[in-house]
Structures are given as C-alpha cells and as structure tokens.
C-alpha cells in the first residue's frame, strides 16, 4: 500500500476485497485519479478493479449487464462479484485506448480504431441475444432532454452571427427522438477501453448503459475530442465494420449518426469551454492520463472539425457547419499565438 493514509472509503473497499477474495491486497492504485469511483487492487496473483459509486443501483445494474453480456461477448470485463455497494471486475489492462491510439501510426493506428468500432458492434450484437432490452432504461427519451440537446447549438452563436433560420430545431429534435431499442454502452470515449498484455481490446464502464438508436456509442468515440483520427476516416471504419443486424439500412444509420454527432460535438465543445474558464488550458498528456475533458486548444479545434464535418453530411444540419468552422479557427489562432510566444 501507499505510505499515504487511506481514506475511510478506500479502507472499506480494501477490507471488503480481502474478505471477498480471501487474500490480502498488496497495494492500491487509482487508474483515473483518486477522485474517481474505481481503484485497481493489486493481489499477489492478479489485479482486480473495485468500484464504489455514489449510486449503488447503477452498480448493481452494471454488474447484471456485464454478466448477461459475458455469455455472448468477450469484449468487456468479467464481473467478479458484488458486495453491498462495491463491485469487483477483472482488470482488462493498463494500456488505455486513449493513450495507445496516439502511440500507433499509419495502418496500425487505423487497425486499432477498427477494432474499437468492431468491438462496439459485437457488444451490441451480444445484447440483442439477451433480454436486456426488456428492462434497461431508454436514454434521452423525454422531450426536455431532447430539446436541451438540440438547443445547445446556441453555444455556437457568437462565432457566426447567430443560428440561421433555416435550422429547424423542432424537426431535428423529432428526428433524433426516434431512439429505438438497441443496447448502448454510452460514454464510449477512448479512455473507457483498454488493451491487455496480449493486445486484446475491451470496453469497460457500463454504468450509464441503456437503450437508444445504437449509433450513439460510435458518436461518443468519434466525438471524443482527444481521438486523433479524422472524421471521414472514421466513417470509412464504420462502413467496413457495420453490422446489418442493427436493423437499419447503412445510409439511414449514417445520417442518424451524423445528425446526432453534430449535437454531441456541441456538448463536448461546451464542456471544454466551461472547463477552460475554470482551470485554464491543460497539457494533452495530462488530459489523456486522467481521461479528462479535452482542455487543450488542439483538442478543442478537433471537436469543432468533427462537428463541421458531420453537420455537413445532412441537410438538417448543413447550415451549422460554418459555425463549427469559425469556432475551430479561434482555437487554431490560440495555438498559433502560443507557438509565436514560445519562439519569441
């Protein structure tokens, strides 16, 4: 164990783990920082992830989902037990996807991106073979959520003299409200997948899973501002990996993805701006290490480029592409100014 005194919360986790597994915990590390819900427990013969979340119902739901999906998929952790509010699961690896993807180049990088997308489709396929669709919650299904999601586009107003009247908010919200009954992991940012020592990729953190259209999981990955692959290249990856059993024809699937991802990019943009105002810009390495919001101007510029690209793919949102482009230019200018200062 660390020489730092344990918090009562961590002591509770360790005591529970030692009783559950019948062996002492040698030490504890915090993969996402000590403020997160999960810790890595190092036993003599293996590592285990222990999770204690504020909402114990989500913990029990996640454990049930992991067990159900494990029957048909090896693309996620194994649930090793739940004791009260604490869940134990297998450690899927220390090589986080958000860090591993930037270590790769060229075809190796694209191969890793392809595996991440393919694993999402496999997990969703596995879920269709269970009864999870009978009781999981429908995500983003109420009118207020959808209106807030679409109206967040107002955050782009300062960059292009308002939102054009040709943008039909009501029709767009109605289009996105057709959510479907497909299992979605949710929060498929690249920090929520890891590779083990053998190079096998698995997704983890199913806390917010539920039912929706299905393309939202891909939106979370492509709309991760720290994801270093251009949006058009990611569309090619999706086309190659597409599972026709989703129940959607590919062109309709891609249009839904494009419209949804336009507003997902707005949400990420708003989060970055908010966090920059609170904490200032951070290094890219720190953002990736702690799976943090992308508070670096390069990441901010990237999510604007993602928004511009996907907005342009549908007539429902094409008029917004220019707004993303102008917002992106502001962050490009910040990077150029920073480089000029360093040279001076």
């Amino acid at each position: 164990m660390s020489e730092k005194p344990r918090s009562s919360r961590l002591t509770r986790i360790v005591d529970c783990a030692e009783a559950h597994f019948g062996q002492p915990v040698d030490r504890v590390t915090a993969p996402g920082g000590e403020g997160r819900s999960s810790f890595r427990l190092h036993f003599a013969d293996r590592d285990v992830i222990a999770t204690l979340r504020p909402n114990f119902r989500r913990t029990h739901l996640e454990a049930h989902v992991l067990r159900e999906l494990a029957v048909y998929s090896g693309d996620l952790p194994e649930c090793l037990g739940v004791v009260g509010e604490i869940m134990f699961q297998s450690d899927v690896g220390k090589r986080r996807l958000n860090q591993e993807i930037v270590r790769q180049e060229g075809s190796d990088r694209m191969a890793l991106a392809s595996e991440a997308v393919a694993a999402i489709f496999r997990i969703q396929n596995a879920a269709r073979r269970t009864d999870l669709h009978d009781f999981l919650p429908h995500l983003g299904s109420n009118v207020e959520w959808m209106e807030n999601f679409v109206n967040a586009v107002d955050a782009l107003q300062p960059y292009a003299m308002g939102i054009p009247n040709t943008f039909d908010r009501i029709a767009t919200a109605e289009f996105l409200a057709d959510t479907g009954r497909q299992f979605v992991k949710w929060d498929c940012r690249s920090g929520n997948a890891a590779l083990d020592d053998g190079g096998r990729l698995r997704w983890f953190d199913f806390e917010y899973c539920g039912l929706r259209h299905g393309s939202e999981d891909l939106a979370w990955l492509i709309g991760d501002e720290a994801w270093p692959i251009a949006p058009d290249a990611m569309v090619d990856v999706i086309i190659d990996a597409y599972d026709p059993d989703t129940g959607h024809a590919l062109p309709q699937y891609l249009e839904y993805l494009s419209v949804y991802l336009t507003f997902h990019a707005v949400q990420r943009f708003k989060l970055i701006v908010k966090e920059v105002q609170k904490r200032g810009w951070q290094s890219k390495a720190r953002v990736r290490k702690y799976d943090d919001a992308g508070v670096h101007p390069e990441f901010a510029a990237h999510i604007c480029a993602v928004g511009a690209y996907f907005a342009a793919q549908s007539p429902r949102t094409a008029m917004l592409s220019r707004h993303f482009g102008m917002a992106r230019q502001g962050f490009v200018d910040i990077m150029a100014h920073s480089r000029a200062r360093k040279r001076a």
Side-chain angles (χ1 to χ4, degrees):
M1 294 292 295
S2 167
E3 294 181 2
K4 292 174 62 178
R6 290 189 205 166
S7 66
S8 58
R9 178 167 167 266
L10 184 53
T11 297
R12 177 183 170 194
I13 291 173
V14 170
D15 290 347
C16 180
E18 292 182 338
H20 182 68
F21 293 101
Q23 60 184 122
V25 173
D26 291 342
R27 60 191 179 94
V28 179
T29 55
E34 294 184 3
R36 298 292 179 90
S37 299
S38 294
F39 294 87
R40 178 175 279 118
L41 309 181
H42 301 269
F43 292 94
D45 58 344
R46 60 176 167 171
D47 294 343
V48 171
I49 301 297
T51 302
L52 173 58
R53 293 195 170 98
N55 188 329
F56 77 93
R57 290 182 179 84
R58 288 193 182 276
T59 300
H60 282 259
L61 175 65
E62 180 175 17
H64 179 74
V65 167
L66 291 180
R67 287 167 172 155
E68 289 291 304
L69 292 176
V71 177
Y72 304 105
S73 175
D75 298 296
L76 59 157
E78 177 187 357
C79 178
L80 302 176
V82 180
V83 181
E85 300 169 300
I86 302 171
M87 179 178 72
F88 300 105
Q89 58 186 300
S90 61
D91 185 356
V92 297
K94 300 179 179 65
R95 297 159 57 195
R96 289 280 187 106
L97 176 60
N98 62 342
Q99 296 176 315
E100 194 66 22
I101 193 73
V102 296
R103 297 189 182 107
Q104 307 298 326
E105 298 180 354
S107 60
D108 290 339
R109 176 176 290 186
M110 294 309 301
L112 185 54
S114 297
E115 176 56 20
V117 170
I120 289 173
F121 279 124
R122 288 196 299 266
I123 290 170
Q124 292 184 350
N125 188 288
R128 291 194 293 273
R129 302 167 69 182
T130 71
D131 63 354
L132 292 175
H133 57 275
D134 289 335
F135 65 87
L136 283 178
H138 287 259
L139 305 178
S141 58
N142 63 68
V143 174
E144 182 181 4
W145 188 94
M146 188 55 64
E147 287 179 348
N148 289 337
F149 187 63
V150 172
N151 287 333
V153 72
D154 289 333
L156 298 175
Q157 284 199 50
Y159 301 92
M161 301 299 290
I163 303 300
N165 293 332
T166 51
F167 173 55
D168 190 334
R169 297 169 186 256
I170 296 175
T172 301
E174 290 176 349
F175 174 74
L176 291 174
D178 183 14
T179 57
R181 288 163 53 82
Q182 172 60 59
F183 173 88
V184 286
K185 174 192 172 295
W186 210 249
D187 199 5
C188 282
R189 291 173 301 120
S190 55
N192 285 334
L195 285 74
D196 63 19
D197 292 340
R200 173 68 185 270
L201 182 146
R202 292 180 177 86
W203 286 97
F204 59 87
D205 195 355
F206 286 72
E207 177 187 6
Y208 296 107
C209 66
L211 305 174
R212 223 173 184 283
H213 178 270
S215 63
E216 295 86 356
D217 281 348
L218 298 172
W220 273 97
L221 177 60
I222 302 170
D224 177 353
E225 58 274 10
W227 187 246
I229 299 176
D232 57 336
M234 286 305 299
V235 171
D236 290 340
V237 169
I238 292 170
I239 292 172
D240 288 343
Y242 188 65
D243 181 355
D245 289 341
T246 58
H248 303 280
L250 181 58
Q252 286 71 41
Y253 185 93
L254 291 176
E255 182 179 14
Y256 191 98
L257 170 67
S258 295
V259 176
Y260 185 89
L261 191 39
T262 297
F263 299 98
H264 183 84
V266 172
Q267 297 291 338
R268 299 306 299 179
F269 168 80
K270 286 181 61 180
L271 177 61
I272 291 170
V273 171
K274 176 183 176 182
E275 291 299 311
V276 169
Q277 291 172 346
K278 287 170 52 178
R279 300 184 283 141
W281 295 112
Q282 307 290 319
S283 72
K284 291 188 289 185
R286 179 180 175 81
V287 168
R288 290 192 173 105
K289 179 179 180 181
Y290 293 106
D291 189 25
D292 206 350
V295 283
H296 187 281
E298 182 177 317
F299 293 157
H302 178 72
I303 197 59
C304 289
V306 170
Y309 176 85
F310 283 100
Q313 304 310 304
S314 172
R316 301 174 188 274
T317 51
M319 71 292 295
L320 304 175
S321 183
R322 174 172 174 268
H323 293 65
F324 282 106
M326 295 184 73
R328 176 184 178 277
Q329 188 58 50
F331 296 116
V332 171
D333 292 343
I334 290 173
M335 288 188 286
H337 179 66
S338 177
R339 286 193 292 267
R341 287 180 59 189
K342 289 179 181 179
R343 288 195 299 266

